Amino acid sequence: MSVRVRIAPSPTGNLHIGTARTAVFNWLFARHHGGQFILRVEDTDLERSRPEFTQNITEGLQWLGLQWDEGPFFQSDRMDLYKQNVQTLLDKGLAYRCYVTEAELNDLRASQEAQKLAPRYDNRHRDLTPEQEAAFQAEGREPVIRFKIDDHRNIVWKDMVRGTVSWNGSDLGGDMVIARRAPADQIGQPLYNFVVVVDDVDMGITHVIRGEDHVANTAKQLLLYEALGAKVPEFSHTPLILSPTGKKLSKRDGVTSISDFQKMGYVPVALANYMSLLGWTPTDSTQERFTLEEAAKEFDFERVNKAGAKFDWDKLNWLNSQYLHEMAAAELTDLLIPYWQAAGYEVDGESDRPWLEQIATLIGPSLERLDQVGEMCRYLFDPELDYTEDAIAHLQKDGVADVLKAVAAALPNAALTTVDEAKALIKDITKSTGAKKGLIMKSLRAGLTCALKGPDLVESWLLLHQKGLDTVRLEKAIALGQPQHGGD
RNA sequence: GGUGCCGUAGGCAAAUAGGUAAAGCCACAUGACUUUCAAUCAUGUGUUUGCGGGUUCAAAUCCCGUCGGCACCUCCA
């Protein structure tokens, strides 16, 4: 039988890095086995689910290259199927209506907490007589539907990453609610743990791959498979992604949604590569850079770790930089244009293209994230850019202004389109001023780029020259170099 | 409070029928290169697998205990 797996995000927020990593593992597993990867949107929580989150999730998955083969299916479209199955359990006597109110439940939990007991439902309405039910209904109480959980059952499964996992029925919190409160002649809104099983059965899911935070649910769900007379899939619970403090990574930890990573200028291949490394290692563990396709060839849960992995920004940044460094200028330019524009520079993707590609070529090899280009390239775009303190200090040193004046004087008649031409000009200045090359270079850097450090100076100068910015800067720099009245 | 899981250097990790450890990557430090920063290249620091017992000729790998961390215990997913 061919492998069928699914990613089942809930549209109650943007695509989370943890969900995305689970999607990566599912995708990898499906591709490895030539199976199907299914997208199912778990929107049974009508109040919290929002269409814009669904869109964020599907866009994020596609951006990462995790294309699904079937779906998206929406649970909100499948309510009848769930309710039919609830009815089946009711008919079989495996589920029942429970009239306990929320207030009563709260009291129960409070007293359990006071006695330092584990919170659980005491199954008090499991065996109500028709008369008792009628009485509750007469009171105006509406029931939820609970699935019976045998306290004496021992539930065991072989987890693909965790090995044998076993659970006692008594540790499952009592009979579980599978449908929300509704009038007694109806079936209320079916709940997560139940619909997941119905869907996984209905969609023929063969392997349930999800985060470790679902292990306890698995025990409950196994009982549901049994009650529904369905074939049980394989399970694998992957380690969680932890924040730097060691807790499950949540929204509170700052950037956690894929769209945020995208905005920050991570490229999808790098992010996908990094996510697959979080808990999984290729057979050749020295090979850490790979595409999803390459990873799929050998993906295997035998090599998935059990311990949670802390999210490491340094390593993600490094991986991202590696992809950026070797990216072709044309492609990099396409990616960079929105970031330049976001930084407020007026660039025209058409007319400025050659200039922009030259910039991309210059800075690409030292770029870590796309969103760094705003600051990194400011000296190339902003005519009003202020000089840094150390640049000003340098410009005010003896002899520096003279050098810059010489350059400014030579500029109108100089050809400055190639590195060689620029170097020749610098050589001329060296001769005419008698200044050392080191001083000239440093002075030019300070005068031209407003800072003492940055990308290659000669290349930068050429770029500046194309926009006539070098002349402007030189004048300003020379003015800054004049002795100031009252200064020290 | 209960249940479950996990624990190799700052981080990710390798070492899978127990075979005598910390490979590789990130970070960090130093050097080289360069007009500077970054990148790149080279070199280096980090040491006995949370801890304590046990089994064994041999244990990171098995057993017991202990400590710590995390997850779950919703009419959320």
Side-chain angles (χ1 to χ4, degrees), chain A residues 13-39:
Chain A
N14 288 333
L15 178 59
H16 187 266
I17 181 90
T19 309
R21 206 279 305 265
T22 302
V24 168
F25 280 13
N26 271 283
W27 188 93
L28 253 18
F29 188 74
R31 285 293 168 277
H32 179 76
H33 293 282
Q36 304 293 299
F37 174 57
I38 298 159
L39 172 59

PDB file of all heavy atoms in Angstrom, chain A residues 13-39:
ATOM      1  N   GLY A  13      -3.679  30.908  13.249  1.00  0.00           N
ATOM      2  CA  GLY A  13      -2.499  31.762  13.289  1.00  0.00           C
ATOM      3  C   GLY A  13      -1.719  31.550  12.007  1.00  0.00           C
ATOM      4  O   GLY A  13      -2.077  30.682  11.203  1.00  0.00           O
ATOM      5  N   ASN A  14      -0.664  32.339  11.832  1.00  0.00           N
ATOM      6  CA  ASN A  14       0.169  32.168  10.647  1.00  0.00           C
ATOM      7  C   ASN A  14       0.920  30.846  10.704  1.00  0.00           C
ATOM      8  O   ASN A  14       1.022  30.234  11.764  1.00  0.00           O
ATOM      9  CB  ASN A  14       1.180  33.317  10.547  1.00  0.00           C
ATOM     10  CG  ASN A  14       0.510  34.621  10.166  1.00  0.00           C
ATOM     11  OD1 ASN A  14      -0.538  34.622   9.521  1.00  0.00           O
ATOM     12  ND2 ASN A  14       1.099  35.724  10.582  1.00  0.00           N
ATOM     13  N   LEU A  15       1.437  30.424   9.560  1.00  0.00           N
ATOM     14  CA  LEU A  15       2.178  29.159   9.503  1.00  0.00           C
ATOM     15  C   LEU A  15       3.361  29.230  10.466  1.00  0.00           C
ATOM     16  O   LEU A  15       4.291  30.014  10.291  1.00  0.00           O
ATOM     17  CB  LEU A  15       2.670  28.886   8.076  1.00  0.00           C
ATOM     18  CG  LEU A  15       3.500  27.612   7.888  1.00  0.00           C
ATOM     19  CD1 LEU A  15       2.716  26.376   8.307  1.00  0.00           C
ATOM     20  CD2 LEU A  15       3.964  27.489   6.452  1.00  0.00           C
ATOM     21  N   HIS A  16       3.331  28.387  11.473  1.00  0.00           N
ATOM     22  CA  HIS A  16       4.346  28.375  12.522  1.00  0.00           C
ATOM     23  C   HIS A  16       5.533  27.513  12.111  1.00  0.00           C
ATOM     24  O   HIS A  16       5.381  26.529  11.390  1.00  0.00           O
ATOM     25  CB  HIS A  16       3.695  27.829  13.798  1.00  0.00           C
ATOM     26  CG  HIS A  16       4.558  27.910  15.013  1.00  0.00           C
ATOM     27  ND1 HIS A  16       5.351  26.866  15.423  1.00  0.00           N
ATOM     28  CD2 HIS A  16       4.752  28.910  15.897  1.00  0.00           C
ATOM     29  CE1 HIS A  16       6.004  27.224  16.523  1.00  0.00           C
ATOM     30  NE2 HIS A  16       5.648  28.460  16.827  1.00  0.00           N
ATOM     31  N   ILE A  17       6.682  27.897  12.588  1.00  0.00           N
ATOM     32  CA  ILE A  17       7.898  27.165  12.236  1.00  0.00           C
ATOM     33  C   ILE A  17       7.799  25.685  12.628  1.00  0.00           C
ATOM     34  O   ILE A  17       8.269  24.802  11.919  1.00  0.00           O
ATOM     35  CB  ILE A  17       9.137  27.834  12.907  1.00  0.00           C
ATOM     36  CG1 ILE A  17      10.436  27.108  12.535  1.00  0.00           C
ATOM     37  CG2 ILE A  17       9.008  27.864  14.430  1.00  0.00           C
ATOM     38  CD1 ILE A  17      11.077  27.627  11.315  1.00  0.00           C
ATOM     39  N   GLY A  18       7.135  25.413  13.739  1.00  0.00           N
ATOM     40  CA  GLY A  18       6.979  24.027  14.178  1.00  0.00           C
ATOM     41  C   GLY A  18       6.088  23.234  13.232  1.00  0.00           C
ATOM     42  O   GLY A  18       6.396  22.091  12.881  1.00  0.00           O
ATOM     43  N   THR A  19       5.017  23.852  12.822  1.00  0.00           N
ATOM     44  CA  THR A  19       4.124  23.213  11.856  1.00  0.00           C
ATOM     45  C   THR A  19       4.867  22.984  10.545  1.00  0.00           C
ATOM     46  O   THR A  19       4.744  21.937   9.913  1.00  0.00           O
ATOM     47  CB  THR A  19       2.894  24.102  11.587  1.00  0.00           C
ATOM     48  OG1 THR A  19       2.313  24.463  12.836  1.00  0.00           O
ATOM     49  CG2 THR A  19       1.875  23.381  10.736  1.00  0.00           C
ATOM     50  N   ALA A  20       5.628  23.990  10.157  1.00  0.00           N
ATOM     51  CA  ALA A  20       6.367  23.899   8.904  1.00  0.00           C
ATOM     52  C   ALA A  20       7.389  22.765   8.963  1.00  0.00           C
ATOM     53  O   ALA A  20       7.568  22.022   8.000  1.00  0.00           O
ATOM     54  CB  ALA A  20       7.069  25.221   8.602  1.00  0.00           C
ATOM     55  N   ARG A  21       8.061  22.624  10.102  1.00  0.00           N
ATOM     56  CA  ARG A  21       9.040  21.545  10.231  1.00  0.00           C
ATOM     57  C   ARG A  21       8.333  20.188  10.142  1.00  0.00           C
ATOM     58  O   ARG A  21       8.817  19.253   9.510  1.00  0.00           O
ATOM     59  CB  ARG A  21       9.817  21.683  11.538  1.00  0.00           C
ATOM     60  CG  ARG A  21      11.204  21.059  11.482  1.00  0.00           C
ATOM     61  CD  ARG A  21      11.154  19.557  11.690  1.00  0.00           C
ATOM     62  NE  ARG A  21      10.481  19.216  12.910  1.00  0.00           N
ATOM     63  CZ  ARG A  21      11.081  18.986  14.052  1.00  0.00           C
ATOM     64  NH1 ARG A  21      12.366  19.026  14.124  1.00  0.00           N
ATOM     65  NH2 ARG A  21      10.371  18.693  15.112  1.00  0.00           N
ATOM     66  N   THR A  22       7.160  20.091  10.779  1.00  0.00           N
ATOM     67  CA  THR A  22       6.399  18.858  10.674  1.00  0.00           C
ATOM     68  C   THR A  22       6.013  18.599   9.215  1.00  0.00           C
ATOM     69  O   THR A  22       6.064  17.464   8.735  1.00  0.00           O
ATOM     70  CB  THR A  22       5.118  18.952  11.529  1.00  0.00           C
ATOM     71  OG1 THR A  22       5.498  19.205  12.882  1.00  0.00           O
ATOM     72  CG2 THR A  22       4.325  17.660  11.472  1.00  0.00           C
ATOM     73  N   ALA A  23       5.672  19.674   8.526  1.00  0.00           N
ATOM     74  CA  ALA A  23       5.337  19.543   7.108  1.00  0.00           C
ATOM     75  C   ALA A  23       6.545  19.039   6.323  1.00  0.00           C
ATOM     76  O   ALA A  23       6.420  18.192   5.437  1.00  0.00           O
ATOM     77  CB  ALA A  23       4.862  20.882   6.550  1.00  0.00           C
ATOM     78  N   VAL A  24       7.716  19.547   6.678  1.00  0.00           N
ATOM     79  CA  VAL A  24       8.932  19.115   5.999  1.00  0.00           C
ATOM     80  C   VAL A  24       9.125  17.608   6.170  1.00  0.00           C
ATOM     81  O   VAL A  24       9.358  16.884   5.198  1.00  0.00           O
ATOM     82  CB  VAL A  24      10.175  19.856   6.558  1.00  0.00           C
ATOM     83  CG1 VAL A  24      11.461  19.201   6.068  1.00  0.00           C
ATOM     84  CG2 VAL A  24      10.146  21.322   6.148  1.00  0.00           C
ATOM     85  N   PHE A  25       8.993  17.143   7.391  1.00  0.00           N
ATOM     86  CA  PHE A  25       9.183  15.711   7.635  1.00  0.00           C
ATOM     87  C   PHE A  25       8.142  14.869   6.896  1.00  0.00           C
ATOM     88  O   PHE A  25       8.452  13.812   6.348  1.00  0.00           O
ATOM     89  CB  PHE A  25       9.128  15.412   9.147  1.00  0.00           C
ATOM     90  CG  PHE A  25      10.413  15.730   9.863  1.00  0.00           C
ATOM     91  CD1 PHE A  25      11.411  16.478   9.257  1.00  0.00           C
ATOM     92  CD2 PHE A  25      10.635  15.277  11.160  1.00  0.00           C
ATOM     93  CE1 PHE A  25      12.602  16.772   9.916  1.00  0.00           C
ATOM     94  CE2 PHE A  25      11.826  15.559  11.825  1.00  0.00           C
ATOM     95  CZ  PHE A  25      12.806  16.313  11.209  1.00  0.00           C
ATOM     96  N   ASN A  26       6.911  15.350   6.898  1.00  0.00           N
ATOM     97  CA  ASN A  26       5.856  14.628   6.175  1.00  0.00           C
ATOM     98  C   ASN A  26       6.161  14.585   4.679  1.00  0.00           C
ATOM     99  O   ASN A  26       6.043  13.551   4.042  1.00  0.00           O
ATOM    100  CB  ASN A  26       4.498  15.312   6.398  1.00  0.00           C
ATOM    101  CG  ASN A  26       3.785  14.789   7.628  1.00  0.00           C
ATOM    102  OD1 ASN A  26       3.217  13.697   7.605  1.00  0.00           O
ATOM    103  ND2 ASN A  26       3.819  15.538   8.710  1.00  0.00           N
ATOM    104  N   TRP A  27       6.541  15.728   4.169  1.00  0.00           N
ATOM    105  CA  TRP A  27       6.836  15.837   2.742  1.00  0.00           C
ATOM    106  C   TRP A  27       8.000  14.918   2.363  1.00  0.00           C
ATOM    107  O   TRP A  27       7.952  14.175   1.397  1.00  0.00           O
ATOM    108  CB  TRP A  27       7.176  17.292   2.419  1.00  0.00           C
ATOM    109  CG  TRP A  27       7.327  17.593   0.948  1.00  0.00           C
ATOM    110  CD1 TRP A  27       6.359  18.053   0.110  1.00  0.00           C
ATOM    111  CD2 TRP A  27       8.523  17.468   0.166  1.00  0.00           C
ATOM    112  NE1 TRP A  27       6.881  18.213  -1.158  1.00  0.00           N
ATOM    113  CE2 TRP A  27       8.195  17.858  -1.157  1.00  0.00           C
ATOM    114  CE3 TRP A  27       9.828  17.047   0.432  1.00  0.00           C
ATOM    115  CZ2 TRP A  27       9.123  17.857  -2.191  1.00  0.00           C
ATOM    116  CZ3 TRP A  27      10.765  17.045  -0.612  1.00  0.00           C
ATOM    117  CH2 TRP A  27      10.409  17.451  -1.891  1.00  0.00           C
ATOM    118  N   LEU A  28       9.047  14.981   3.194  1.00  0.00           N
ATOM    119  CA  LEU A  28      10.233  14.171   2.955  1.00  0.00           C
ATOM    120  C   LEU A  28       9.881  12.679   2.952  1.00  0.00           C
ATOM    121  O   LEU A  28      10.318  11.911   2.090  1.00  0.00           O
ATOM    122  CB  LEU A  28      11.251  14.448   4.070  1.00  0.00           C
ATOM    123  CG  LEU A  28      12.527  15.273   3.839  1.00  0.00           C
ATOM    124  CD1 LEU A  28      12.498  16.134   2.608  1.00  0.00           C
ATOM    125  CD2 LEU A  28      12.893  16.058   5.079  1.00  0.00           C
ATOM    126  N   PHE A  29       9.068  12.307   3.924  1.00  0.00           N
ATOM    127  CA  PHE A  29       8.683  10.903   4.050  1.00  0.00           C
ATOM    128  C   PHE A  29       7.845  10.466   2.845  1.00  0.00           C
ATOM    129  O   PHE A  29       8.063   9.397   2.276  1.00  0.00           O
ATOM    130  CB  PHE A  29       7.893  10.702   5.344  1.00  0.00           C
ATOM    131  CG  PHE A  29       7.608   9.264   5.667  1.00  0.00           C
ATOM    132  CD1 PHE A  29       8.607   8.428   6.143  1.00  0.00           C
ATOM    133  CD2 PHE A  29       6.325   8.750   5.483  1.00  0.00           C
ATOM    134  CE1 PHE A  29       8.341   7.097   6.442  1.00  0.00           C
ATOM    135  CE2 PHE A  29       6.055   7.412   5.775  1.00  0.00           C
ATOM    136  CZ  PHE A  29       7.060   6.583   6.254  1.00  0.00           C
ATOM    137  N   ALA A  30       6.906  11.299   2.459  1.00  0.00           N
ATOM    138  CA  ALA A  30       6.050  10.986   1.310  1.00  0.00           C
ATOM    139  C   ALA A  30       6.887  10.849   0.042  1.00  0.00           C
ATOM    140  O   ALA A  30       6.750   9.882  -0.705  1.00  0.00           O
ATOM    141  CB  ALA A  30       4.996  12.069   1.121  1.00  0.00           C
ATOM    142  N   ARG A  31       7.785  11.810  -0.173  1.00  0.00           N
ATOM    143  CA  ARG A  31       8.608  11.761  -1.380  1.00  0.00           C
ATOM    144  C   ARG A  31       9.537  10.556  -1.374  1.00  0.00           C
ATOM    145  O   ARG A  31       9.741   9.912  -2.393  1.00  0.00           O
ATOM    146  CB  ARG A  31       9.434  13.046  -1.510  1.00  0.00           C
ATOM    147  CG  ARG A  31       8.648  14.259  -1.942  1.00  0.00           C
ATOM    148  CD  ARG A  31       8.137  14.149  -3.375  1.00  0.00           C
ATOM    149  NE  ARG A  31       7.158  15.197  -3.666  1.00  0.00           N
ATOM    150  CZ  ARG A  31       5.876  15.125  -3.362  1.00  0.00           C
ATOM    151  NH1 ARG A  31       5.393  14.027  -2.777  1.00  0.00           N
ATOM    152  NH2 ARG A  31       5.053  16.112  -3.647  1.00  0.00           N
ATOM    153  N   HIS A  32      10.072  10.268  -0.218  1.00  0.00           N
ATOM    154  CA  HIS A  32      10.987   9.129  -0.123  1.00  0.00           C
ATOM    155  C   HIS A  32      10.302   7.839  -0.549  1.00  0.00           C
ATOM    156  O   HIS A  32      10.901   6.974  -1.182  1.00  0.00           O
ATOM    157  CB  HIS A  32      11.515   8.986   1.304  1.00  0.00           C
ATOM    158  CG  HIS A  32      12.454   7.827   1.490  1.00  0.00           C
ATOM    159  ND1 HIS A  32      13.761   7.869   1.060  1.00  0.00           N
ATOM    160  CD2 HIS A  32      12.269   6.596   2.019  1.00  0.00           C
ATOM    161  CE1 HIS A  32      14.348   6.707   1.331  1.00  0.00           C
ATOM    162  NE2 HIS A  32      13.458   5.917   1.911  1.00  0.00           N
ATOM    163  N   HIS A  33       9.032   7.733  -0.178  1.00  0.00           N
ATOM    164  CA  HIS A  33       8.308   6.501  -0.479  1.00  0.00           C
ATOM    165  C   HIS A  33       7.431   6.619  -1.722  1.00  0.00           C
ATOM    166  O   HIS A  33       6.657   5.716  -2.012  1.00  0.00           O
ATOM    167  CB  HIS A  33       7.443   6.098   0.722  1.00  0.00           C
ATOM    168  CG  HIS A  33       8.252   5.684   1.913  1.00  0.00           C
ATOM    169  ND1 HIS A  33       8.846   4.444   2.017  1.00  0.00           N
ATOM    170  CD2 HIS A  33       8.602   6.352   3.040  1.00  0.00           C
ATOM    171  CE1 HIS A  33       9.513   4.364   3.164  1.00  0.00           C
ATOM    172  NE2 HIS A  33       9.387   5.520   3.799  1.00  0.00           N
ATOM    173  N   GLY A  34       7.556   7.732  -2.417  1.00  0.00           N
ATOM    174  CA  GLY A  34       6.731   7.923  -3.600  1.00  0.00           C
ATOM    175  C   GLY A  34       5.256   7.972  -3.251  1.00  0.00           C
ATOM    176  O   GLY A  34       4.401   7.548  -4.027  1.00  0.00           O
ATOM    177  N   GLY A  35       4.955   8.466  -2.069  1.00  0.00           N
ATOM    178  CA  GLY A  35       3.561   8.506  -1.616  1.00  0.00           C
ATOM    179  C   GLY A  35       2.914   9.866  -1.794  1.00  0.00           C
ATOM    180  O   GLY A  35       3.429  10.734  -2.501  1.00  0.00           O
ATOM    181  N   GLN A  36       1.781  10.028  -1.152  1.00  0.00           N
ATOM    182  CA  GLN A  36       1.008  11.251  -1.280  1.00  0.00           C
ATOM    183  C   GLN A  36       1.097  12.113  -0.018  1.00  0.00           C
ATOM    184  O   GLN A  36       1.039  11.599   1.097  1.00  0.00           O
ATOM    185  CB  GLN A  36      -0.470  10.901  -1.501  1.00  0.00           C
ATOM    186  CG  GLN A  36      -0.716  10.004  -2.695  1.00  0.00           C
ATOM    187  CD  GLN A  36      -0.395  10.700  -4.001  1.00  0.00           C
ATOM    188  OE1 GLN A  36      -1.007  11.709  -4.327  1.00  0.00           O
ATOM    189  NE2 GLN A  36       0.576  10.183  -4.744  1.00  0.00           N
ATOM    190  N   PHE A  37       1.234  13.417  -0.246  1.00  0.00           N
ATOM    191  CA  PHE A  37       1.307  14.385   0.844  1.00  0.00           C
ATOM    192  C   PHE A  37       0.032  15.218   0.772  1.00  0.00           C
ATOM    193  O   PHE A  37      -0.249  15.863  -0.245  1.00  0.00           O
ATOM    194  CB  PHE A  37       2.548  15.262   0.648  1.00  0.00           C
ATOM    195  CG  PHE A  37       2.685  16.397   1.625  1.00  0.00           C
ATOM    196  CD1 PHE A  37       2.720  16.176   2.997  1.00  0.00           C
ATOM    197  CD2 PHE A  37       2.815  17.707   1.153  1.00  0.00           C
ATOM    198  CE1 PHE A  37       2.868  17.242   3.883  1.00  0.00           C
ATOM    199  CE2 PHE A  37       2.971  18.763   2.035  1.00  0.00           C
ATOM    200  CZ  PHE A  37       2.996  18.526   3.399  1.00  0.00           C
ATOM    201  N   ILE A  38      -0.742  15.146   1.822  1.00  0.00           N
ATOM    202  CA  ILE A  38      -2.069  15.762   1.806  1.00  0.00           C
ATOM    203  C   ILE A  38      -2.154  16.962   2.749  1.00  0.00           C
ATOM    204  O   ILE A  38      -1.611  16.927   3.852  1.00  0.00           O
ATOM    205  CB  ILE A  38      -3.113  14.702   2.222  1.00  0.00           C
ATOM    206  CG1 ILE A  38      -3.094  13.556   1.196  1.00  0.00           C
ATOM    207  CG2 ILE A  38      -4.511  15.313   2.340  1.00  0.00           C
ATOM    208  CD1 ILE A  38      -3.667  12.260   1.701  1.00  0.00           C
ATOM    209  N   LEU A  39      -2.820  17.999   2.294  1.00  0.00           N
ATOM    210  CA  LEU A  39      -3.019  19.176   3.149  1.00  0.00           C
ATOM    211  C   LEU A  39      -4.463  19.219   3.639  1.00  0.00           C
ATOM    212  O   LEU A  39      -5.406  19.216   2.837  1.00  0.00           O
ATOM    213  CB  LEU A  39      -2.714  20.461   2.365  1.00  0.00           C
ATOM    214  CG  LEU A  39      -3.074  21.781   3.084  1.00  0.00           C
ATOM    215  CD1 LEU A  39      -2.334  21.908   4.417  1.00  0.00           C
ATOM    216  CD2 LEU A  39      -2.757  22.975   2.181  1.00  0.00           C
TER     217      LEU A  39
END
